[in-house]
Amino acid sequence: MKIFFFIIIMSFSLIFLGCKNEKNTNEKKLKDFMVGKWETQYIKIEYPTYQKTDSSFVFEDDFSNPNTGRAQSEYLNDGTFTAWFKNPDSTRILETKGTWKTKGQDSLFVNYQYSGNKVQAWYSIQQKDNQFSGVAIYDWDIDGTKDDTLIMKSKRIQ
C-alpha cells in the first residue's frame, strides 16, 4: 500500500498521453506551464509482470470520493518540487522533494528519493487549459524492470 501512495504522490502532477505532431498556439511553454500547484484527478498504473511474476496487476483511482485523500504537488520556477498526499483532514503525509526539468513541449523529467530509492522518470505531457495528462513507463513496482505504465491527469489548484 505504501508504494501506491508513493506512486500517487509522485505522479500527481505528471501525466497522460504523449507527444504532439502539431503545436497548439494556446499552449504555454511546458516549463512555464508546470510552475504552480497541482492535484491528481485520476491515476492508473498497469503492471504487466507485477513484481516479477507472470501476473499482471492494475491500480486505478479517480479520486471522485470527497472523503479520500488527494495527491498534490508544487513545482517551483527554480527546478525544484514538493509532492505530498493530503488526507481528508488536510494533514500532509508522505512528503518528498525533488528536482524537475522539461525538454521540448511535451517531456517532463523528475528526480527524487523515496524510501531509499532514487527515482528518475520521464513523462510525456499533454497540456489543456489548467490541466495536464501524462504517461511514464518506469519500474513502479520496483522489480528491476522498467515495464510499468503510469497514466495520470492533474489539474491546477490554488
Side-chain angles (χ1 to χ4, degrees), residues 11-15 33-34 36-42 63 70-73 128-133 152-158:
S11 303
F12 48 3
S13 43
L14 316 168
I15 7 332
F33 179 78
M34 289 305 301
K37 293 182 180 178
W38 297 93
E39 181 174 276
T40 299
Q41 301 296 294
Y42 171 82
F63 301 99
R70 301 283 188 249
Q72 297 182 338
S73 61
K128 184 176 181 185
D129 301 322
N130 282 317
Q131 301 176 40
F132 68 92
S133 57
M152 68 179 297
K153 296 180 182 180
S154 295
K155 72 173 183 175
R156 188 177 300 279
I157 58 173
Q158 297 300 331

Side-chain angles (χ1 to χ4, degrees), residues 6 10 14 99 101 108-114 117-123 136-140 146:
F6 158 71
M10 290 320 303
L14 316 168
T99 60
K101 65 181 178 181
L108 172 67
F109 176 76
V110 294
N111 181 21
Y112 58 93
Q113 289 277 337
Y114 184 79
N117 295 311
K118 186 174 187 175
V119 177
Q120 296 180 314
W122 280 101
Y123 288 82
I137 298 174
Y138 194 74
D139 182 14
W140 298 114
K146 291 182 180 181

Side-chain angles (χ1 to χ4, degrees), residues 9-151:
I9 289 171
M10 290 320 303
S11 303
F12 48 3
S13 43
L14 316 168
I15 7 332
F16 181 84
L17 275 158
C19 303
K20 290 187 169 186
N21 292 331
E22 298 177 19
K23 186 175 180 180
N24 182 338
T25 56
N26 294 329
E27 292 179 351
K28 289 183 175 182
K29 288 184 177 182
L30 184 58
K31 182 177 182 190
D32 296 331
F33 179 78
M34 289 305 301
V35 173
K37 293 182 180 178
W38 297 93
E39 181 174 276
T40 299
Q41 301 296 294
Y42 171 82
I43 189 167
K44 180 178 182 180
I45 307 166
E46 299 171 341
Y47 305 91
T49 56
Y50 187 67
Q51 296 183 341
K52 288 207 179 271
T53 66
D54 62 355
S55 298
S56 63
F57 179 74
V58 175
F59 171 80
E60 189 170 18
D61 197 341
D62 68 3
F63 301 99
S64 60
N65 183 339
N67 295 325
T68 62
R70 301 283 188 249
Q72 297 182 338
S73 61
E74 181 173 19
Y75 286 75
L76 301 177
N77 218 5
D78 66 0
T80 63
F81 74 92
T82 303
W84 62 89
F85 194 76
K86 183 178 174 183
N87 283 323
D89 67 0
S90 295
T91 59
R92 285 186 185 187
I93 61 170
L94 302 173
E95 186 170 306
T96 189
K97 296 179 182 286
T99 60
W100 67 281
K101 65 181 178 181
T102 62
K103 184 174 181 182
Q105 190 57 24
D106 62 0
S107 296
L108 172 67
F109 176 76
V110 294
N111 181 21
Y112 58 93
Q113 289 277 337
Y114 184 79
S115 291
N117 295 311
K118 186 174 187 175
V119 177
Q120 296 180 314
W122 280 101
Y123 288 82
S124 180
I125 302 296
Q126 184 179 34
Q127 312 176 30
K128 184 176 181 185
D129 301 322
N130 282 317
Q131 301 176 40
F132 68 92
S133 57
V135 173
I137 298 174
Y138 194 74
D139 182 14
W140 298 114
D141 61 355
I142 312 172
D143 67 359
T145 305
K146 291 182 180 181
D147 63 347
D148 311 314
T149 303
L150 180 142
I151 302 165

